[in-house]
Amino acid sequence: MFNQFGSTAETLSKASAVVLRIGTDAHLYDDPEDVNIAPLLDSKFESEKCEALKRLLALIAQGFDVSNFFPQVVKNVASQSSEVKKLVYLYLLHYAEKRPNEALLSINYFQKDLGDPNPLVRAWALRTMAGIRLHVIAPLALAAVGKCARDPAVYVRKCAANALPKLHDLRLEEHAPAVEELVGILLNDHSPGVVGAAAAAFTSICPNNFKLIRKNYKKLCQILPDVEEWGQILLIGTLLRYVVARHGLVRESLMLSIHGLDDKGFYEKDGLSLDKGDGDKSDSFDADLVSLVSKCYIEGPDEYLSRSSCPETVSSAFNSKETTSIASNEDVKILLQCTSPLLWSNNSAVVLAAAGVQWIMAPLEDVKKIVKPLLFLLRSSTASKYVVLCNILVFAKAVPSLFAPHFEDFFICSSDAYQVKAHKLEMLSLIATTASISSILREFEDYIKDPDRRFAADTVAAIGLCAKRLPTVPATCLDGLLALVRQESFAGDLESVDEEAGVLVQAVMSIQTIIERDPLSHEKVIIQLFRSLDSIKVAAARATIIWMIGVYCSLGHIIPRMLTTITKYLAWSFKSEASETKLQILNTTAKVLANAEVDDFQMLKRIVVYVFELGECDLSYDVRDRTRFLKKLLSCKLACHEPAKDSVASQESIAEHVVEHVFGRKLKPFSPLALQNRFYLPGSLSQIVLHAAPGYEPLPKPCSFVFEEHDQLSDSDKHREATDLNGSQESSETVDEDGSSEYDSESSNGSDFSSDGDEKTISNDPLIQISEVAVSADQEELRSKRALDLWLDEQPSTSNQTSSALDRNQSSYAKISIGDLGSRVKPKSYTLLDPGSGNGLKVDYTFLSEVSTVSPLHVCVEVLFENSSTEPIREVHLEDEEVMKVSDSAEQTLVGKANASYNNVPTIIPMEEISCLEPRQSAKRLIQVRFHHHLLPMRLTLHYNGKKVPVKLRPDLGYLVKPFSMSVEEFLATESRLPGMFEYSRRCTFTDHVKDSRMENGKDKFLSICESITLKVLSNSNLHLVSVDLPVANTLEDATGLRLRFSSKILSSEIPLLITITVEGKCTEVLNSTVKINCEETVFGLNLLNRIANFMVEPSSSATL
């Protein structure tokens, strides 16, 4: 299928399997035990330090304790490399509390970095200082935050806002006013990014200090739509709390609609009607529930507990002084206006927060605007859908008419989770009306057939709720429920089928709910249930029907005549019933005897005595205890021969009073509104878990924030505030608030971000020194671009565009011939064992470009043994560890795949043993090694003087390939077949030619550059140089467009690997090079690309002389 692209199904499968590792440092997790970290931390090369720090962070992520490297890491905080500095900061944040003394040594460097011209470095230093949770440096960190809060760079000010909660966690009571003052400064910022972080700081530090909000209220409302999404959530909550505390609730809002009742108990406005009593209007809403919701939003835990324990003492009205009118309150108008556009935000949490403001503060006729945004959220992910439904349920319980026209949006989808289905069923039962009930019942008929029988049982329960709410549909629902009970599927033994039994139980309970509305008119239905007892085998369903026998034993004229037959049947089946059914039989027989007539009294008494005798011998403790209790309770009934004529007058004992009270009274009607219900603010976690989650805060008491005289703004102050607000709006329009502008180091508009007083404060405090060195626009752009690349680890995707542009502009090339460089190639040497660990034995190894004569999978490695001690070393040789000893699971996975195809190929060809190595003597041996994976080291055992030392031979990616000779035409043809995902590039710098050109005056500059690059590449990899091309149009000083092509094949798979290096820049200056690799082995190619880019940046030994 993809043969025209030079790929196969196998290579595509390999590429897809490792796509998550592309462009990452995932290989650092493959070998956690690395003994070479310490030397790398002390290296003079920044790339090696960076590699060591990345390995340390990988070990930390895997749970290893690497705090012993703390002194060496702290030493690197003075590095000039931004990447190394960033990694050091991350390490310090993790171990500063464990090593406080060493951490204090780095404070001076942090203070120095706070004055760096790069805003990224200033932000990193501030974030690290605030993250070191030591009380000793807290004052210094607070001073740094104070300066950075007035920094001209947006990102630095944002980091200052994020650092404030960390300082607050240290419980610095003496600095609390200073921290709150900084929060106020950041809330007054013109940048939306800073304001969002400041809102988070305000919420965690001083959520009730509304004086800070009063000074910036209008500005915060206007900047709200531009704040980042998660900052909008916090800022919306803060503004809502301020308005409630300052002005109270709105009289026209739904929360206070109970006070607008007319004489009939209804509040009519724009199609909404408020039902205070038992009105049967389908579009009415419950005044008591709305009042309860408004109380729950404001009351704290103590008030809730007091209301639950003494519900009669709870007042249902708010003081008129605690309310306001939207017509005369500008703050409420502004809040509603700025949150209305956020109802259509892309973030579901923002929509819920904005809907909460409209629900609590908007006038009754404007609450409808929250419906469609909330319904739109039902199309989002399953998790978001569940959260939205939890909040919609509260709205629908209070005002069902809001969502009644949109009942189709709550129809069940087959892909919905069970929790979502359950909430949708509850919604449909709440918002069903006489106009929509027929469509809803048709949907319910399909839901009952669903394979998920638990969902089917919930559907049956929802039918009962609909029949209870709507007085016109019980007959229709009752017929369907009775047919469901009579189904043959329930006639068998369902004791082992819990879900099927649940459907039957819910059907019986729904019928019982319908009967409760008017028992007398449903006498025949009750009789049908009595007659179905013999066919129903589910214990819970039988118990419910038996309970109904006791409750309705005196109903009508037919049921009392059937009691003798029914009780005989219950006594006959008592032995075989479940415990819960036996308990109901005992209760029912007691109720029947208590209400028995004269004609049937003797027969019923004998039946009851028989049932009690069976109950006293039952195996269940509960049944025996219930039997003894009822027998003692009915002793007066069992002792007499006929029922008393006047039951009240003939009562002579306490037992008779108890019997009359327990069995002679009707049950109280069930109240749909339980005072123990608890509601929480919309969008909060507490509303989902139904209890006060940690950090939950109710709304403040209405009008609890009272201004003093000196706090009131004068007319001139208000005018100045309006002027400042307009100015800030104009300045914010000129500032680019995208991702790059927040990280930009330009400060030409710095005056827009701070007042004159702030500038004086910056100049007087020597803690942070902002560099004022003027730089050109090009230099500033390059510096900012490089800082962004280092911070974001941005993939140099623009390199392909650059190279393609060069191809279009410079199509005429001249070939440069380079002589034989084989004698000048010096492969890099690595340390296998240092003299300190080997008791004087030093072992180095070097990869050779020779091709193995044993197998194409082997790599030739030259090992140099040197005796640095004063005693001879004997019997020196290397052996491979057994593969079965490898314990690393990740390594086993990679090794297993490689071993599957090459089980017969040995891992290492045994070397010739060195019998004796005299002091200061050295010896070389050639070994041939097959690596299991191009990133994993080989575990070897070094034998000498009878000792065994485990060592690791690390692969060099550059030598896991072999030269592959081809012409330029073949190279280009192969390259054209490997585009897209098989082509990747990276940019780097090259400096070796600069010092070489100074040492070799008179030599051709282009030739010197070509030789330097070729020597660097061939000294670190085993490649074939295909061609060197230079654009003809170039001047004598311009090396832009110089291109070197190398070809090779991967040893393990014989897959071609092509390398192209393109150069940009002047001959006598540092060159920018683009390294491009075309290869089907995506992972190998990317890792080799990183390897080449790293050694291209490193200066060679000849260049550093």
Side-chain angles (χ1 to χ4, degrees), residues 796-809 983 985 987 1064 1074 1076:
S797 57
T798 57
S799 58
N800 294 336
Q801 302 174 0
T802 305
S803 60
S804 61
L806 290 174
D807 292 340
R808 291 192 300 268
N809 297 333
E983 179 178 304
S985 59
R987 295 178 64 86
E1064 301 175 26
T1074 301
K1076 183 184 70 173

Side-chain angles (χ1 to χ4, degrees), residues 57 60 64 66 70 89-98:
L57 295 178
I60 292 174
F64 291 91
V66 291
F70 197 91
Y89 285 159
L90 293 176
Y91 180 91
L92 290 177
L93 282 174
H94 191 79
Y95 284 114
E97 292 186 10
K98 293 184 178 180

